[in-house]
Amino acid sequence: MSKMIRVDMTKGTVHYEPLNQELEAFGGRGLIAKILNDEVDPGCNPLEAENKLIICTGLLAGTPAPTSGRISIGSKSPLTGTIKEANAGGMAGYMLSRLGVKAIIVEGKSTDDGWFILKVGKDGAVLLPAGEYVGMRNYDLTEKMRTDFGEKVGVLSIGGAGERGYWNSTIQITDTRGRPSRSAARGGLGAVMGSKGLKAVVLEESGPPEIPYHEKELFNTANKNYIAGIKAHPVSGEAMPALGTAVLINIVNALGALPTNNFSAGNFGDAEKISGENLAKIQGERGGKENQPCQPGCPISCSNIYHDENGRHLTSGFEYETIALNGSNCGINDLDTIAMIDRMCDDFGLDTMETGTTIAVCMEAGKAKFGDGKAALGLVEEMIEGTELGKIMGNGTVFAGTKLGVKRIPVVKGQSIAAYDPRALKGTGVTYATSPMGADHTAGNSILEQSVTPTQKEGQVQVSTNLQVGMATFDNLGMCIFSGFCTEDPANIGYLLEMMSGRYGGEWDPDRLFTLGIKTLGLEKSFNSKAGFTEKDDALPEFMYTEKLPPTDSVFDIGPEELSGAVPFKED
Amino acid sequence: MHVNVKLYSIFRLEHPDYDVEEGLKVNLEEESTIMDLLIALGIEQQRVAMVNLNGKITRDKSVALKEGDVVQVFPFFGGG
Ligand code: SF4
């Protein structure tokens, strides 16, 4: 039986508990949905004691299944008011599973504004005063943690944004080199952690986990075949290892869906300058690196290390979404400026995506000119310093846009739209509108879908629904969604099913597997509806229905009636 | 006739002397199709996810090309 750790920040206590059978059946995002439905009042104030923060691994954690070390973090979100799960790579999931812990539930709120860190090791878990760590940014903090607790620790931490309660605040996670470059970025989870008085979680090295396989041989054989499937797929075997997610800049630009100047065009004249191809070229000259694993043993290794012009490390895990939303969407054509924004965000604990869209609405409000990289850096600096404008920006795109009188605010349920303009990629648009998470590309992105034309209206609701179920399923397994591209070949789904049988026993067929995703979506929708959300909230921002997006001149034309057919799942 | 070809992602890496500004000038017989162009480039068609012809996405590789066409060729992609 797996264990979970319950941390009561009000009382300052830490207990281990077994998971009951019902909870054992879920992992990652599904486990979070179940626990939040069972234990948290959906109407609660997200930044008060009654909300809970859940940190957990997936169903295949601890096994050699490729990319199975994702960490899921969830709560009721202060940014959206909905249920929220954000998952990330890095070392946390891997380390937690080696410690035999499936979940950590953080509840209550520390009294007298005291700050703590939670240390989890072989011999147990303990809350320690956060002392000097308070006020530290993520890069300094993780370095000090390695000195204080050992080189091999995994760390989850919040920076100043989370301490200050910004609705745009992340929980950063250390990568394979110990840098806090991976992020449970979306929905302001850093503020939830900060509201409880928890500055960081440090996970100590403990050796390989004991996983109770039902049939280890079956698991191992299927696992080998599945890895071969990942490597044989053109995306996960070829394009992503070579160029990472940034390869999408030129592609999405060609589709006319690259957010440009606050979602006013789908084409950016300087796309080539901020492209993945150019990034690889520059980094080849400077000694930066492509093809890096964000977690141990990833066969895809889509991550990167970015060096500045002097050949020194500037940032890692520099991704498409960050580049597009802080680049083209702000009219900025300089990769070094965007990489600096990425570094500042990781360090202070800001979601790079929400930050990019917030800068762009500030530009639309006249606070800076589109294309002015220096001014953009200045705006991020204001968030870090906590000036009046900085604090407004720190609460995200809709908050800042509303305060500054901007009409075109690209959000759904309070969360900013990702780096695909939904007017030119309508399947992803349906996902933005109907995902229980708010606008979220990882909930079901139709970029790879070959069966429909991106701008066509017909068929997109079905495309999005299928994708959302698939993504929610992978988010239960605790596997990176990039390891799932190969499941378009049924043979690879077969291997995945055998892996589940080998690990847990019983018959696994596609129905049983994808029921994990369906149940998760149902639980999430039920939480949201109790929090007061209705079908009216499943909509894109007004301007996307009326304003034509050049160069396709497409508008989003999938209405409420059709959208109500997406993810038609309910759980009580 | 000549068409102007732009390569992306791994196709670009496979052509190390590719010039980003200029692209590739490819000489083809009259009435050649996108398929013929791919053969001339040595790119297997099952590796091509998307072609953008003069700014418009096309998945039909039997379309005939004409002098001066700009053809962007993309391999499979994903991520984000
Ligand atoms: S595919 Fe990329 S993001 Fe996913 S686990 Fe591997 S390195 Fe991390």
Side-chain angles (χ1 to χ4, degrees), chain A residues 199-408:
Chain A
K199 173 71 179 165
V201 179
V202 52
L203 306 168
E204 292 184 324
E205 163 63 15
S206 59
E210 276 168 39
I211 303 289
Y213 290 95
H214 188 261
E215 211 180 312
K216 195 164 181 187
E217 199 69 0
L218 176 67
F219 178 90
N220 281 340
T221 310
N223 190 44
K224 274 197 197 108
N225 289 329
Y226 192 75
I227 293 174
I230 290 178
K231 290 191 170 161
H233 192 273
V235 178
S236 50
E238 215 175 8
M240 296 199 69
L243 292 161
T245 57
V247 71
L248 285 173
I249 293 278
N250 273 328
I251 292 162
V252 181
N253 193 50
L255 286 169
L258 186 69
T260 303
N261 295 354
N262 192 30
F263 290 87
S264 58
N267 246 177
F268 182 50
D270 282 337
E272 212 32 271
K273 288 194 181 148
I274 59 168
S275 68
E277 291 88 337
N278 194 36
L279 191 157
K281 184 172 157 273
I282 297 175
Q283 290 306 310
E285 291 156 10
R286 293 182 184 172
K289 286 194 169 71
E290 299 278 352
N291 200 206
Q292 298 294 301
C294 82
Q295 55 167 289
C298 174
I300 306 167
S301 292
C302 76
S303 194
N304 56 13
I305 296 175
Y306 191 96
H307 283 185
D308 66 14
E309 49 189 5
N310 301 316
R312 280 192 303 251
H313 173 266
L314 178 59
T315 195
S316 316
F318 188 38
E319 309 274 347
Y320 166 71
E321 305 292 332
T322 304
I323 299 172
L325 291 172
N326 294 278
S328 53
N329 196 44
C330 296
I332 295 173
N333 64 9
D334 176 43
L335 273 177
D336 285 340
T337 302
I338 309 166
M340 179 55 95
I341 293 176
D342 186 55
R343 165 67 183 236
M344 290 162 87
C345 285
D346 286 354
D347 203 19
F348 194 66
L350 293 162
D351 171 15
T352 56
M353 296 171 63
E354 195 71 37
T355 297
T357 51
T358 306
I359 295 171
V361 296
C362 287
M363 287 175 160
E364 182 141 331
K367 292 282 170 199
K369 285 207 173 65
F370 283 108
D372 187 342
K374 266 212 182 98
L377 287 167
L379 288 171
V380 180
E381 198 52 60
E382 292 215 34
M383 283 195 270
I384 295 173
E385 275 175 27
T387 63
E388 197 182 331
L389 176 62
K391 282 185 189 150
I392 290 171
M393 291 180 71
N395 278 344
T397 308
V398 72
F399 190 88
T402 311
K403 283 266 183 219
L404 299 173
V406 174
K407 296 232 158 52
R408 301 167 68 264

Side-chain angles (χ1 to χ4, degrees), chain A residues 235 238-240 242-243 245 247-248 250-251 254-255 272 277 321 420 441 445 447-450 452 482 485, chain B residues 6-10 12-14 18 20 46-50 52 55 57 59 72 74-80:
Chain A
V235 178
E238 215 175 8
M240 296 199 69
L243 292 161
T245 57
V247 71
L248 285 173
N250 273 328
I251 292 162
L255 286 169
E272 212 32 271
E277 291 88 337
E321 305 292 332
Y420 311 86
H441 66 294
N445 187 355
I447 184 93
L448 261 176
E449 187 61 42
Q450 296 276 323
V452 286
F482 301 157
F485 294 139
Chain B
K6 306 260 181 194
L7 297 177
Y8 295 92
S9 178
I10 42 174
R12 195 179 288 181
L13 302 182
E14 289 166 5
Y18 179 82
V20 178
Q46 66 271 21
R47 297 179 67 211
V48 177
M50 177 173 101
N52 189 316
I57 302 288
R59 291 206 171 105
Q72 299 173 297
F74 297 91
F76 281 93
F77 47 81

